[in-house]
Each structure stands twice: as structure tokens, then as C-alpha cells.
Amino acid sequence: MSQTAESAGPHRAPTMADVAQVAGVSHQTVSRVLSNHPNVRESTRAEVLRAIEQLGYRRNSSARALVTRRTLTLGVVACNPTLFGPASTLFGLEEAARDEGYMVSAVTLRRFTPKALEEAIDHLSEWGVEGIVVIVPHRAAVAALAELRLPFPVVTVEGGHSLPIPGVSVDQDLGARLVTGHLLAAGHRTVWHVAGPPDWLEAGARVDGWRATLEEAGAEVPLPLVGDWTPLSGYRAGQELAGRVVAGTARRGATGVSAVFVANDQMALGVMRAFREAGLSVPGQVAIAGFDDIPEAEFFAPPLTTVRQDFAAVGQASIRLLISRLESGTSREAERVVIEPRLIVRSSSTPS
């Protein structure tokens, strides 16, 4: 092996030609090693790999893309990435893409409008992504996506929509049924609900599952309170519910508030704070359950019963579905993957 590469100066990155000079081979041989070509002697391959390590060579992705017509980059479009669900979904997608040998370029939007989504897709197209995953948590996102002509394969996440686009989602309806059924089985005559924003598809599905479970059990269906996913909105709903608890205990035989299903854990935190300030014990006087199983949920006081969404499974299914479309060249437009959630029972719903 040659010890120096005259063309490799200290102020620029080493090139494939520098690697070839140090290894004492041709430019084409270096290219074959980088492409893992079988027709390279092991001793030669070892020389080239040593030269790569010595020089700190990194292959130029743009040059590779020109040769292979592959960038091995996927795009993601997300909205509200500061919320637990979208943030966890984005992380799951990035991890799954890396496991499959792809990198991710992400665009986050403040609002999902047709113009904003079109601009995001244009940017991703200019960056050379091979396909995209669009996280569509609310109705505006679905409406925006429906108006666009998509230049490459697309998979949606969290959709629950009727668009002719492949998608992956968690069964929100089932999650709500599990938690509502758990509370009814504990002996509560009905279950109150603090819902998420009406324009969010997940919030609507959780309301549907909660209502259907109560109706099937012949239980009263209270009018749901509505929050915006934040602890503050849960706190305000909790203040109203606390008033109803007190009023219910004053009226013998009335169906009061003894169990509450909150549409996410962060709002549940606010509800629990309001109950504590009102002197109500959880679960002694009121049982509470949330949704999402955020990392802090098991450290609430008391630990929160909730519904766990497997965001890693969502990411894996979404990326594999997108890659299958890239490799097969077929649309398979009707394909849907639904991930089942899991009920996590803790002491906020079950007296110790």
C-alpha cells in the first residue's frame, strides 16, 4: 500500500482517487469495493478498506445517487411535532428507516393546508427523497392531502381516513373500548370523557369507542367535555367534573361522576390536579384513566391507568410499507396496517 496521496491536501475531503492511490489500485476497483461487488479479491478489498480508514474517506451521496439512481432517503411531513403522539411517531419512523438502511429528511408544519403541504412535498422532492410518510392526525391534513398530485410513493400514518393511499394507524377505537370497558367492569355506572380537539381524527375515534362501549352496556352516555391535549385544558375540565362529583354526592340515587376517561395522559394530569385541589381522592372517589402511556404516566400520583400505543411498531410498519412500494413499483392503494393498542392498568383506576 502506498503511504501518501499527493492529491489529498489538508483542506479538502479525500476523494475516491485518493483512496485508489493510497491502496495502489484503480479508481474502478475502489468503486467495486464500495458497491460490494463480488469480483474483488479479498486481499485487494482489505487494502482498499484500510486506505478508506486511513484517509477518513466518506462516499459522496450525490455522486452515488447519479450512478445508482437511489438516494436511500425518505421524507416525512409532520404537524404539531411537540405533542407526544406526533413526536413519538416521528422518532419511530426515523429509527425504523435507519434499521432499513435509509436516512430521513423531515419537514414540520405549523398548520396543514394544501399550500403548506404542497410546498413541503416540493422541498422533499428537491432533496431527492424516494418516497414520503405523511403524518395526518387531523381532518385538515386529510383534506390537504386529497387535493394534491403526489410525485412519488406516499404512506400515511395516524390517518383513519378513506383516501386511496396506503396507511398505518393505531386502533384508537379499540383503545377507547378497552379503557371504558375496564372502568365499567370495576363497577362504575357510567364513564365520563374528556375528549381531544374535534378536528383530530384520533380524538374522534376515541370518542366513538367510548360512546359505543357505554351504549352496548346500556349505560348513560354523558356529554363529553372537550380539551386541546394540554394539561391546562384537562385542569379546567377537571374543575367542572369536580363540581359534578360534589353535586352527585349530595343527590342520592343520581348518576354522578365516579369514573373519567381522559383522551390523553397530559390532560389527565390536569384533571388529577383539579381533583386533588377539590379534596377528591383518586381512585377512592373518582377513578381516572388516560391514553398514550407517556413516560411520566407511571409516576403520576397515583400512577395512571392508560392505553399504550406502540410507536416503534407504527414506524416499522410504515417504513416497510413504503419500501415495498418503492421496490415493487405497484401502488397497492387500499393496503392498511392497523396496530392494536394495549391497556395498562395502574392504581388510578383500581383502589389498592
Side-chain angles (χ1 to χ4, degrees):
M1 177 188 292
S2 174
Q3 296 301 310
T4 62
E6 295 178 2
S7 60
H11 302 299
R12 68 170 178 81
T15 66
M16 194 181 297
D18 298 328
V19 174
Q21 182 178 350
V22 171
V25 299
S26 68
H27 178 281
Q28 290 82 358
T29 298
V30 175
S31 178
R32 290 191 185 98
V33 171
L34 291 171
S35 301
N36 202 29
H37 197 284
N39 295 333
V40 179
R41 288 188 301 177
E42 286 304 316
S43 58
T44 302
R45 189 185 305 277
E47 289 290 319
V48 172
L49 293 176
R50 276 196 290 270
I52 288 172
E53 183 176 359
Q54 176 185 330
L55 294 173
Y57 171 75
R58 295 292 181 270
R59 193 174 189 185
N60 185 291
S61 59
S62 298
R64 179 181 61 194
L66 286 173
V67 175
T68 64
R69 297 186 180 181
R70 299 289 305 276
T71 63
L72 296 180
T73 303
L74 305 175
V76 176
V77 180
C79 193
N80 303 106
T82 58
L83 295 174
F84 177 76
S88 299
T89 301
L90 180 57
F91 180 77
L93 291 168
E94 291 175 334
E95 289 288 294
R98 278 195 290 271
D99 289 344
E100 297 291 339
Y102 287 78
M103 296 299 293
V104 168
S105 292
V107 175
T108 59
L109 306 177
R110 292 183 179 178
R111 293 182 58 208
F112 249 118
T113 65
K115 180 175 175 56
L117 184 55
E118 183 176 16
E119 290 176 351
I121 290 176
D122 286 344
H123 280 303
L124 291 170
S125 181
E126 290 172 1
W127 295 342
V129 303
E130 298 183 24
I132 64 171
V133 177
V134 183
I135 303 174
V136 286
H138 35 72
R139 303 181 198 285
V142 175
L145 194 58
E147 295 185 21
L148 298 181
R149 295 183 62 185
L150 303 170
F152 31 51
V154 173
V155 168
T156 63
V157 175
E158 299 183 7
H161 55 72
S162 59
L163 296 178
I165 300 174
V168 177
S169 62
V170 174
D171 193 334
Q172 308 293 330
D173 181 284
L174 174 61
R177 286 174 176 270
L178 289 173
V179 71
T180 305
H182 163 70
L183 292 168
L184 290 175
H188 299 284
R189 296 171 64 182
T190 191
V191 178
W192 289 70
H193 184 46
V194 180
D199 62 328
W200 281 67
L201 295 165
E202 293 181 340
R206 292 172 196 178
V207 169
D208 291 344
W210 160 77
R211 179 181 289 113
T213 303
L214 292 180
E215 291 175 345
E216 290 166 5
E220 178 184 343
V221 182
L223 186 68
L225 288 73
V226 179
D228 61 7
W229 300 131
T230 65
L232 177 58
S233 68
Y235 176 75
R236 290 170 176 163
Q239 288 178 312
E240 180 176 341
L241 289 169
R244 291 178 179 272
V245 173
V246 174
T249 57
R251 297 200 310 267
R252 296 184 63 184
T255 304
V257 179
S258 67
V260 183
F261 162 41
V262 189
N264 79 334
D265 294 346
Q266 290 168 322
M267 290 195 299
L269 177 63
V271 172
M272 294 170 79
R273 168 72 178 269
F275 283 3
R276 186 163 56 250
E277 290 181 355
L280 301 174
S281 68
V282 176
Q285 290 173 277
V286 187
I288 296 180
F291 205 109
D292 280 340
D293 194 27
I294 63 176
E296 300 84 0
E298 64 179 312
F299 299 102
F300 285 11
L304 183 66
T305 290
T306 186
V307 176
R308 179 177 297 166
Q309 303 190 74
D310 191 341
F311 293 107
V314 170
Q316 291 166 0
S318 302
I319 295 300
R320 288 171 182 168
L321 183 56
L322 182 56
I323 291 174
S324 72
R325 294 196 67 200
L326 293 171
E327 293 178 346
S328 66
T330 59
S331 60
R332 295 195 290 179
E333 293 180 343
E335 187 164 359
R336 295 281 190 275
V337 178
V338 179
I339 308 296
E340 289 194 1
R342 177 185 170 196
L343 178 66
I344 305 298
V345 178
R346 300 191 178 104
S347 55
S348 70
S349 66
T350 307
S352 56

